[in-house]
Amino acid sequence: MKSHYRVVVIGGGVVGASVLYHLAREGWSDVALLERSVLTAGSSWHAAGGFHALNADPNIAQLQAYTIDLFEEIQAESGQDIGLHMTGGLTLAGTPDRWEWLQSAYRVFQSIGIEDCRLVTPEEAGALCPIMSTEGILGGMWADREGYIDTTGTVHAYAGAAKKRGASVFEHTKVEALEQTPDGWRVITDKGVVTCEHVVNAAGLWAKQVGRMAGLDLPLSPLKHHYLISDTIPALEGLDFEVPMTVDLEGFTYMRQDQKGILLGIYEIDHEHWAMDGAPWDYGMELFQEDTDRIEKELTLGFERYPALQEVGVKTWVNGAFTFSPDGNPLVGPVPGKPGYWVACGVMAGFLQGGGVGKSLAEWIIHGEPEADVWGMDIARYGAFASNRQYIRETTGQFYTRRFVMTYPNEQLPAGRPLKTAPAHDAMTAAGAHWGVSWGLEVPLYFAPKGFVETPSLHRSNAHDIVGDECRATREKAGLIDISGFSRFEVTGPNARAWLDRMMASKLPARGRARLAPMLGHDGRLKGDLTVFNWDDQTFWITGSYYLRAWHMRWFDDHMQDGVTVRDIADAVVGFAVAGPKSRAIVQSICDADIGGLPFMGCGVFDLGLIRAHVGRISVTGELGYEIHCDAANHIALRRALLAAGADHGVQEVGFNALLSLRLEKSFGIWSAEFTQGYTPRQTGMDRWIDWSKDFIGKDAGLAERDGPDPAQMLVTLQVDAAGADASGYEPVWQDGEKVGFVTSGGYGHTTGKSLAMALVKPQAAAIGTALSVHIVGQERAATVIAASPYDPAGRAMRA
Ligand SMILES: Cc1cc2nc3c(=O)[nH]c(=O)nc-3n(C[C@H](O)[C@H](O)[C@H](O)COP(=O)(O)OP(=O)(O)OC[C@H]3O[C@@H](n4cnc5c(N)ncnc54)[C@H](O)[C@@H]3O)c2cc1C
């Protein structure tokens, strides 16, 4: 072992080995992997080795597809057999809703370019997997590129291929401590000290401890997991093909062939955490005693699905552990406040996702950004709140138990809630608020009569009319919405203006003004769809999406300069927005100053009743409206004052579901839908806010896009001939049978009476009036490109 490497990867499981391989593949060969035991000695050696295409997050599904494509490459490159069995795979649906969902999922796969799938009937599924009972199966999805690999061989193939490219691997080398240095890290091992610029925590079951070595409390925990391997099944001996990797969602099991028997894995309803602080250091390549009582229900379903199991014995039981994050997706990326410390842990399906994780992290370390939009696995999607032990226990447990349980788009899950609540939460609950959650904060979705229960549905739910009423109230009178769920950063200091000017691609607002401000990455892709407020030329605020708080703060910190202080004030400052034609009269009635004279996009500090508030005349709804920010201690009083002032004007409390519908009628994009870090300004129309005359981060790449060829896709608004269900996101858009794009978001416009969607489509399909079609919940629906902002296109209402 040398005394210095550019990168030290801690952990020789599939993830660490993949990170090492991808660093070497990108040309960084001065890299070393340290493994306390032997390669695979964590979760990796006893994994079932299955891989399949499905993931609820399309970006992660794409990275999974990348991993699957990589298998043959690393086998060839390393010369190490990985025991690849590309059997094809089946995902089964056993309820009408699941079957509808699977048909939608199939269309989403088409959208993201995973084309080697098809829907199959129960009979076809039975023929593809003859040892399976098709009892209760309504349909399935077949994917060509699913199957299983030999897990030990695969880890050695990643490591072997990395070594051939100059990387080093040291087994029996345990990392015992980490120390931050001015230019990197000192890695203290039982074999001596090594320094490096970057250190990667790929310690799998021990990731929690390796996090603590750097003062981090990572939100993850191991859970136990069973599979069994059966004795020989006579029916398999007679087949001249291997049965496919089969996932029975309603049965909580996955199955693959193992020699002439089968391997049956179980997602356990009655889950069991293990070693929440990380595996003990003396934990070797061990297994736990099987606990068949705990998994009896799933086992019974499995034995019914594969009746041959009732005839043959169980050859082997495996009860092992692997690590989960709260949402089940990996934790990857640079850790805020710890330059040079990277995580690649919480990878629940390392053989399926390891390639994508390794590729993204290597790109991130070397180029500063990964190529793909990896928000779904970015460590910055969590904040400190997620390190709480009970939060981890509840959320990881919920994910594990529900791994194969269908979650409806309008369904609210209980784990880790309620955690953060705005002060007026209880008063809003009493007023009928139904709550969703954003980054641990309860946010009102809509206000319903007492006793109302929303039915989980893939279609418009029974809350549709309630939301419709809230939309109409806002358009006709005034809607009051709790906007505590916005991010808020305060920027101060002598260099505040200069710093902001470089961070934002837009002009900065003048004193007493606010401005929409796109922020770009160095690669010219989007980094934020923010609003900047200039209160007094000394104090600026940046507001945006609440759940991006840590992500944006990491970006700000990475680009910090002397003479600037950026403070995240979103816990201390909360607020309400009032929107609608009556909103001016309402706010003016409790304000002595001329708040009504505030121009569109103006902002200032006003006394509203007893409350001193920061007010911006901003419109997300397309109506005349005010965002009112106040100290958390004043939240209840502000609500009371606005409700009292609005009573004569018909003010009504509304939730975020209404806001989403209202903004869609204005074709106002939102983050994670129309705007993501994978998209560019021109493609999304964000370029209209850019000030090309100044310097800002991402300008060179932005200019190249501006002056280059037309973007491959453009953002358009669609009117959809929908019935009972609206588009939600990632549905494919077709023109005469050719796939020309995909939906970014959709919903029902209650004022326009139209089902609307926004979509990224090829330029050939972007002209107003173009006839297209969209798959909604698996059904093809006619759609037409319409002019942006079907409601009040001239923007008269919001500028009134
Ligand atoms: C029963 C079971 C079945 C599974 N089936 C599948 C499947 O079919 N498909 C799939 O994709 N996934 C499956 N998994 C999950 C899969 O095993 C994990 O996702 C994967 O192994 C995680 O790999 P990793 O590299 O992150 O962690 P690990 O495999 O845990 O590797 C971490 C490594 O880091 C080393 N290490 C830790 N601390 C230190 C230190 N301080 N110094 C040096 N080295 C250190 C450890 O010794 C270990 O080798 C299954 C898991 C289980 C338990």
Side-chain angles (χ1 to χ4, degrees), residues 10-16 34-38 40-44 46-50 173-175 202-206 210 213 225 227 254 281 318 320-322 344 347-352:
I10 305 172
V14 64
V15 174
L34 309 184
E35 164 54 50
R36 66 179 188 113
S37 170
V38 293
T40 77
S43 296
S44 296
H46 61 260
T173 306
K174 181 185 165 211
V175 174
L205 288 175
W206 294 264
V210 174
M213 290 179 190
H225 182 65
Y227 64 76
Y254 58 88
W281 288 118
V318 170
F322 55 151
V347 187
M348 172 206 65
F351 292 90
L352 174 61

Side-chain angles (χ1 to χ4, degrees), residues 408-431:
Y408 292 84
N410 66 332
E411 200 173 355
Q412 296 298 319
L413 302 180
R417 298 176 60 191
L419 173 57
K420 298 193 257 175
T421 52
H425 172 271
D426 288 358
M428 288 188 276
T429 302

Side-chain angles (χ1 to χ4, degrees), residues 60-311:
I60 294 195
Q62 266 170 330
L63 287 171
Q64 292 179 177
Y66 166 81
T67 307
I68 295 170
D69 290 344
L70 191 65
F71 287 141
E72 277 142 329
E73 239 178 275
I74 54 160
Q75 176 164 269
E77 212 179 296
S78 63
Q80 162 76 49
D81 182 12
I82 64 163
L84 178 62
H85 294 248
M86 197 67 88
T87 57
L90 270 175
T91 304
L92 305 173
T95 66
D97 278 3
R98 175 76 81 176
W99 178 222
E100 263 198 307
W101 174 85
L102 201 56
Q103 292 173 72
S104 322
Y106 163 65
R107 296 297 173 184
V108 170
F109 272 26
Q110 286 187 314
S111 266
I112 61 176
I114 300 178
E115 303 280 359
D116 47 13
C117 301
R118 66 177 197 274
L119 295 170
V120 294
T121 62
E123 294 69 36
E124 286 169 318
L128 289 161
C129 186
I131 59 158
M132 172 180 85
S133 156
T134 55
E135 184 70 35
I137 296 299
L138 301 179
M141 184 170 75
W142 169 267
D144 290 345
R145 294 183 70 70
E146 297 192 350
Y148 65 98
I149 32 100
D150 165 40
T151 55
T152 302
T154 302
V155 177
H156 280 274
Y158 275 122
K163 282 202 269 188
K164 284 194 169 171
R165 289 174 181 267
S168 306
V169 173
F170 300 98
E171 293 182 307
H172 303 291
T173 306
K174 181 185 165 211
V175 174
E176 301 194 313
L178 292 170
E179 287 171 11
Q180 203 165 356
T181 65
D183 19 86
W185 291 85
R186 281 183 88 229
V187 181
I188 294 119
T189 80
D190 56 359
K191 300 278 164 65
V193 175
V194 52
T195 58
C196 59
E197 291 165 38
H198 305 272
V199 65
V200 178
N201 176 354
L205 288 175
W206 294 264
K208 197 99 178 171
Q209 290 100 312
V210 174
R212 292 219 170 98
M213 290 179 190
L216 298 168
D217 203 357
L218 295 169
L220 39 81
S221 171
L223 280 120
K224 289 185 179 173
H225 182 65
H226 283 85
Y227 64 76
L228 64 83
I229 297 175
S230 77
D231 284 333
T232 295
I233 293 176
L236 287 176
E237 288 186 305
L239 291 181
D240 59 359
F241 62 92
E242 275 194 283
V243 292
M245 166 90 196
T246 302
V247 176
D248 178 10
L249 294 168
E250 270 63 51
F252 300 90
T253 62
Y254 58 88
M255 183 282 295
R256 69 162 174 85
Q257 189 158 336
D258 193 89
Q259 299 182 5
K260 290 297 173 189
I262 61 171
L263 179 155
L264 186 77
I266 291 138
Y267 271 91
E268 301 160 12
I269 303 167
D270 182 10
H271 60 257
E272 192 176 318
H273 286 85
W274 174 72
M276 283 196 68
D277 292 320
W281 288 118
D282 61 358
Y283 180 69
M285 291 170 83
E286 300 156 35
L287 294 172
F288 311 108
Q289 181 66 39
E290 70 269 21
D291 184 356
T292 49
D293 287 348
R294 191 161 57 78
I295 56 172
E296 191 185 344
K297 181 182 168 200
E298 304 87 306
L299 270 183
T300 307
L301 292 171
F303 277 52
E304 283 167 6
R305 181 63 65 217
Y306 307 103
L309 287 176
Q310 297 167 26
E311 314 294 331

Side-chain angles (χ1 to χ4, degrees), residues 317-591:
W317 272 107
V318 170
N319 182 11
F322 55 151
T323 352
F324 287 78
S325 72
D327 64 7
N329 279 330
L331 296 178
V332 180
V335 177
K338 303 278 172 199
Y341 187 99
W342 304 78
V343 289
C345 46
V347 187
M348 172 206 65
F351 292 90
L352 174 61
Q353 300 175 328
V357 167
K359 174 180 187 287
S360 302
L361 192 69
E363 289 166 353
W364 218 331
I365 294 173
I366 294 171
H367 306 298
E369 291 285 339
E371 184 192 2
D373 174 2
V374 295
W375 164 255
M377 57 188 195
D378 192 331
I379 173 84
R381 74 187 184 280
Y382 289 109
F385 69 91
S387 297
N388 172 281
R389 201 179 171 83
Q390 188 174 334
Y391 183 88
I392 295 171
R393 181 184 287 282
E394 286 183 23
T395 52
T396 54
Q398 173 177 274
F399 175 82
Y400 184 87
T401 289
R402 294 184 59 89
R403 170 105 166 95
F404 285 174
V405 177
M406 183 161 149
T407 302
Y408 292 84
N410 66 332
E411 200 173 355
Q412 296 298 319
L413 302 180
R417 298 176 60 191
L419 173 57
K420 298 193 257 175
T421 52
H425 172 271
D426 288 358
M428 288 188 276
T429 302
H434 283 235
W435 299 94
V437 69
S438 171
W439 216 64
L441 177 75
E442 297 295 311
V443 291
L445 300 178
Y446 55 83
F447 289 75
K450 208 170 171 29
F452 174 80
V453 178
E454 186 172 359
T455 316
S457 175
L458 294 168
H459 299 254
R460 288 176 198 152
S461 83
N462 52 338
H464 182 76
D465 290 342
I466 292 172
V467 174
D469 284 347
E470 293 182 5
C471 291
R472 282 182 288 276
T474 307
R475 292 260 185 260
E476 290 161 16
K477 293 174 183 159
L480 180 72
I481 182 164
D482 172 24
I483 55 163
S484 303
F486 285 5
S487 71
R488 296 168 175 87
F489 301 94
E490 181 198 66
V491 186
T492 52
N495 292 332
R497 172 174 271 284
W499 179 81
L500 263 177
D501 207 27
R502 186 169 147 63
M503 297 300 290
M504 303 295 153
S506 67
K507 265 195 180 57
L508 287 192
R511 185 188 177 116
R513 289 292 185 145
R515 193 178 267 277
L516 298 180
M519 187 164 68
L520 306 189
H522 295 281
D523 57 8
R525 295 187 296 177
L526 300 176
K527 237 347 178 212
D529 58 339
L530 302 162
T531 305
V532 175
F533 293 79
N534 180 349
W535 300 109
D536 57 8
D537 265 345
Q538 310 285 325
T539 311
F540 297 84
W541 279 12
I542 305 168
T543 64
S545 304
Y546 189 82
Y547 65 94
L548 301 177
R549 277 172 67 178
W551 189 66
H552 276 142
M553 197 65 200
R554 184 177 67 194
W555 182 254
F556 297 150
D557 278 343
D558 285 350
H559 296 85
M560 203 34 70
Q561 285 173 3
D562 285 344
V564 185
T565 305
V566 179
R567 277 199 314 138
D568 181 334
I569 55 169
D571 290 332
V573 180
V574 295
F576 282 94
V578 55
K582 304 286 187 193
S583 56
R584 178 180 286 130
I586 294 170
V587 292
Q588 188 60 78
S589 71
I590 52 170
C591 184

